[in-house]
Amino acid sequence: MKVLLLTNLYPSPEEPSRGVFNRQRFGALAQHCEARVLAPLPWWGRLKHPGALLRTPEDDSTGLHVTWPTYWSAPGRQALHARGMAASLRGQVRRLRRVFPFEVILAAWAYPDGVAAARLAEEMDVPFVMMTLGSDVNEFTRHPALRKQIVWGMNRAYRVVCVSRALRDRVVDDLGLPPERVLVQHNGVDGERFFPRDRSEARQRLGLPPDRPAILFLGNFKPEKGPDILVEAMGRLASQGGTDTTLLMVGSGAMEAALRARVTALGLGERVRFCGRQPHAETPHWIAACDALCLPSYREGCPNVVLEALASGRPVVASDVGGVPELLRDDAGRRVPAGDADALADALAEVIRRPWDPAALRATVPFLSWDAFGLTLRDTLADAVNVWASGAGVASAR
């Protein structure tokens, strides 16, 4: 089976850390079928490297053939992006099909990817499957113009694959898709990369103090990820006498200046370390170096960082949102209400004080491999191809 994978979230030469999770997911699928990745990037995102506007970079060094074409739309006019992406890719998709006769399209994000895929699949007369991750449904559908397009695209998908039951419920109950057309498929985790490591060795490798309790935040500094609430919780810990605890902020984003200012105002000083964005290959060592990982998000789909921390034998404190309750059991950390700095501080203090068994934490992860993910997704795509070939494709997809 030949599969065309369409996503705007994928590592590129300009942004090597962008959408790393999709490289894992697509790599797992590619073990069980032939696949090519089309990873379109908006023209305004390539202005720092204008040469890329005039060419289409390609690469197959990771085992997947990836192409990064440019798509054209109007910056700031999000409602136009799906139409612009489809129009920009139309010629290239037709040429690609002559040399790689794909039988199905998999879109890894509802908008603009999924809506563009619906248009292209219709023109190419092939089925398509749409995946959703979280904010593409939880956030984008709040905007009427995007919601209308997303629902249109979903209704043309053979299946919509959600990373959590919470997301599936949103697609069915709020967007009105038939329950039998919506599947839940949790992510896997690479158990060979994420496993219990020696904390002292990890801290020595990263140049961190060997004896202070450490909490790790790993992600983008943007409002929906809640880094500001975590800083406030650190202030509460400090006022309670927990000033020896260090917060490691690994990532970057638009909120960084405001976060640094708030750290200064709270007098946290060296208790909060801004470590910058780190290579994905170093993630296992940052997790190994901490005593607990914290995910204070307001919204989540199926956060892989929770699975990675648990597989590494580290407890997790996270907001009780989205798919988090499906991943984080009561015996593997604590869940707290989103946006509640006091509850977050109390949970962090409790988790830091308590001894944890790394092997028991790792045992709470259902899939310590991406292979099961790849096989299940392959089966869904194969069903789409078979149904379409039987002549029932159009009826079953609408």
Side-chain angles (χ1 to χ4, degrees):
M1 181 174 61
K2 292 179 171 58
V3 182
L4 175 61
L5 306 170
L6 178 64
T7 179
N8 80 93
L9 296 171
Y10 200 83
S12 69
E14 297 93 346
E15 296 182 86
S17 62
R18 178 182 176 84
V20 171
F21 54 88
N22 271 332
R23 184 165 62 193
Q24 295 173 312
R25 287 144 57 103
F26 290 173
L29 173 64
Q31 298 301 310
H32 306 287
C33 63
E34 292 186 58
R36 288 202 178 188
V37 180
L38 205 57
L41 297 173
W43 66 267
W44 58 88
R46 309 187 95 157
L47 292 179
K48 292 182 179 179
H49 306 274
L53 291 170
L54 305 177
R55 59 186 177 85
T56 303
E58 298 185 45
D59 181 74
D60 59 4
S61 62
T62 63
L64 270 172
H65 189 282
V66 187
T67 304
W68 293 274
T70 299
Y71 79 84
W72 303 86
S73 186
R77 300 289 299 277
Q78 197 173 16
L80 301 178
H81 291 353
R83 189 177 297 273
M85 180 181 286
S88 301
L89 299 181
R90 183 171 291 116
Q92 180 159 4
V93 168
R94 287 174 176 165
R95 291 190 296 273
L96 175 61
R97 200 173 187 205
R98 288 197 288 268
V99 297
F100 181 74
F102 56 85
E103 302 159 80
V104 60
I105 299 175
L106 173 66
W109 187 245
Y111 190 90
D113 314 18
V115 177
R119 296 180 182 277
L120 294 168
E122 193 169 70
E123 294 173 13
M124 297 295 109
D125 192 27
V126 296
F128 96 99
V129 171
M130 182 190 294
M131 302 187 76
T132 65
L133 292 175
S135 58
D136 52 346
V137 170
N138 293 328
E139 285 301 301
F140 292 176
T141 57
R142 297 174 185 269
H143 306 281
L146 300 188
R147 180 189 180 95
K148 182 178 179 180
Q149 294 185 63
I150 290 170
V151 172
W152 176 87
M154 286 182 171
N155 276 304
R156 279 153 180 78
Y158 174 74
R159 292 289 184 268
V160 175
V161 180
C162 302
V163 293
S164 70
R165 290 190 295 275
L167 199 57
R168 177 196 178 276
D169 292 345
R170 181 74 185 271
V171 169
V172 172
D173 298 338
D174 185 41
L175 303 185
L177 259 72
E180 66 272 13
R181 297 256 311 284
V182 187
L183 306 177
V184 176
Q185 186 172 349
H186 289 134
N187 287 336
V189 64
D190 187 347
E192 293 184 0
R193 291 187 62 232
F194 294 95
F195 59 88
R197 301 171 187 255
D198 184 84
R199 183 179 286 108
S200 298
E201 290 181 6
R203 292 186 178 187
Q204 184 176 15
R205 175 191 177 103
L206 299 172
L208 300 173
D211 52 355
R212 290 181 182 174
I215 298 163
L216 175 66
F217 174 90
L218 188 63
N220 295 316
F221 299 165
K222 53 185 182 180
E224 57 265 36
K225 293 298 182 181
D228 52 335
I229 297 299
L230 179 51
V231 169
E232 296 298 327
M234 287 298 295
R236 306 289 202 281
L237 285 178
S239 67
Q240 296 167 9
T243 54
D244 62 332
T245 300
T246 299
L247 172 60
L248 306 172
M249 301 283 282
V250 176
S252 63
M255 294 180 70
E256 184 165 344
L259 292 172
R260 287 181 178 272
R262 186 57 179 158
V263 165
T264 300
L266 291 172
L268 295 175
E270 289 298 314
R271 302 304 179 187
V272 178
R273 292 193 173 202
F274 289 88
C275 306
R277 190 173 294 278
Q278 300 293 322
H280 186 68
E282 291 297 306
T283 299
H285 303 289
W286 284 97
I287 293 176
C290 78
D291 292 275
L293 179 129
C294 185
L295 187 72
S297 307
Y298 286 90
R299 290 169 290 277
E300 282 292 346
C302 178
N304 245 52
V305 69
V306 171
L307 296 174
E308 292 167 350
L310 296 175
S312 301
R314 299 295 183 265
V316 175
V317 176
S319 300
D320 196 11
V321 298
V324 170
E326 300 167 38
L327 308 179
L328 182 58
R329 296 180 355 191
D330 291 340
D331 58 351
R334 292 291 178 270
R335 300 191 304 272
V336 299
D340 189 332
D342 290 324
L344 185 59
D346 291 343
L348 289 170
E350 178 187 351
V351 167
I352 289 294
R353 287 194 303 266
R354 174 180 166 179
W356 296 89
D357 178 0
L361 291 172
R362 182 176 172 86
T364 68
V365 179
F367 301 113
L368 288 168
S369 165
W370 279 97
D371 191 59
F373 176 94
L375 277 170
T376 303
L377 188 55
R378 188 277 311 273
D379 290 346
T380 299
L381 295 171
D383 285 344
V385 171
N386 292 334
V387 170
W388 195 268
S390 73
V394 174
S396 67
R398 295 183 180 177

